[in-house]
Amino acid sequence: MRRPSWVPAGMDLDRPAAARVYDYYLGGSHNFAADREMARKAIELWPDLPLIMRANRAFLRRAVTYLAQQGFTRFLDIGSGIPTFGAVHEVAREIQPRARVVYVDKDPVAVAHSRLLLEHDELCSVVDADLTDPQTLLSRPEVAELLAEGEPVALLLVAVLHFVTDEQDPDAILATLRDALPPGSALAICHASLEGRPDQAATHQELYRRTPTPMTMRSAERIHHFFDGFEMVEPGVVYLPQWRPEEPEAVGEHPERMVGLVGVGLLP
């Protein structure tokens, strides 16, 4: 197979990666046969998956829009994947034309392609770092500059915390990140939940154990605790379609089918 120019040398294209599988769900082209095979198997087991992933992207758009409307001009997107299909900087700049974004991911392909996409954007940076090592992440110059005193920062953890295992202590990771945020900052989370479709949870988690990024779906109670120290924005922690929908009918009769639980909180 001919290696595309945006793929780093030495990258194993025969093993699926979460960022590329996600790109496939969204209808993107930055994925390979192994990613597509895994995605198709997942869709066979859970036909709603592409809809769930698109609902996740729609939440990200609504959350960034809301935060930009509140005056936020700095965004830290951790676990950003490949910034296509309504990337954070594009959404934010519809309201804040000088919005700055630091994209952080540990997937080498996601990082390489992000840098290619954003190489001429002076207000965006791409950082290769791991959420599970927050001290190193926070020490990166691009992140430290964004978090410098002066303006609040919107921390985006959208569809990434469920790739942090319990052994890696997501609560401690969040506490470290929260303590580094300037006053008045915000936190947006989207996390796969156990409650929405308990019949599918075990099978889906087993499928992701075959990738470098196994998934841990969590209860609503656990996800609520991730916002400790933040004041919740209405309507609190809810299913993906229920967070400030653009149209009431977009919620549908069974919002729990879109199994992600989401919320936005503000630091006092």
Side-chain angles (χ1 to χ4, degrees), residues 14-218:
D14 295 322
R15 189 176 185 188
R20 299 193 302 261
V21 172
Y22 182 56
D23 176 74
Y24 177 80
Y25 288 139
L26 294 176
S29 59
H30 301 103
N31 50 74
F32 303 105
D35 309 305
R36 295 189 286 274
E37 181 182 2
M38 177 181 163
R40 285 192 288 266
K41 287 179 180 178
I43 292 168
E44 287 175 7
L45 296 169
W46 198 341
D48 284 338
L49 276 177
L51 292 175
I52 294 169
M53 301 306 174
R54 288 165 191 163
N56 171 74
R57 180 60 64 154
F59 162 72
L60 175 64
R61 182 180 64 248
R62 296 197 304 277
V64 170
T65 296
Y66 168 81
L67 292 165
Q69 289 171 340
Q70 305 311 303
F72 281 84
T73 62
R74 298 185 187 185
F75 295 82
L76 178 59
D77 186 1
I78 301 179
S80 54
I82 302 170
T84 56
F85 294 92
V88 171
H89 66 285
E90 295 173 343
V91 175
R93 287 177 191 168
E94 291 179 6
I95 300 156
Q96 300 288 350
R98 297 293 294 173
R100 297 171 56 193
V101 182
V102 175
Y103 292 102
V104 180
D105 208 291
K106 69 173 185 176
D107 182 330
V109 170
V111 170
H113 191 54
S114 298
R115 286 175 174 161
L116 182 65
L117 284 173
L118 301 170
E119 63 180 338
H120 301 302
D121 191 322
E122 63 180 12
L123 296 176
C124 286
S125 301
V126 181
V127 172
D128 181 359
D130 191 338
L131 174 61
T132 63
D133 183 5
Q135 294 290 2
T136 298
L137 189 159
L138 292 169
S139 71
R140 297 297 176 87
E142 301 92 338
V143 176
E145 181 184 359
L146 190 78
L147 295 174
E149 291 289 341
E151 286 189 35
V153 173
L155 171 60
L156 310 175
L157 298 176
V158 177
V160 64
L161 276 172
H162 48 237
F163 295 120
V164 177
T165 66
D166 289 337
E167 291 74 20
Q168 291 169 320
D169 200 350
D171 295 287
I173 291 170
L174 274 166
T176 299
L177 295 174
R178 182 190 64 226
D179 292 347
L181 292 172
S185 291
L187 170 65
I189 290 177
C190 173
H191 195 298
S193 73
L194 290 167
E195 279 91 342
R197 289 292 302 275
D199 57 316
Q200 295 283 4
T203 300
H204 197 60
Q205 290 179 103
E206 178 58 35
L207 189 66
Y208 267 84
R209 289 191 185 100
R210 305 175 193 174
T211 79
T213 49
M215 177 181 287
T216 302
M217 302 173 82
R218 295 186 170 95

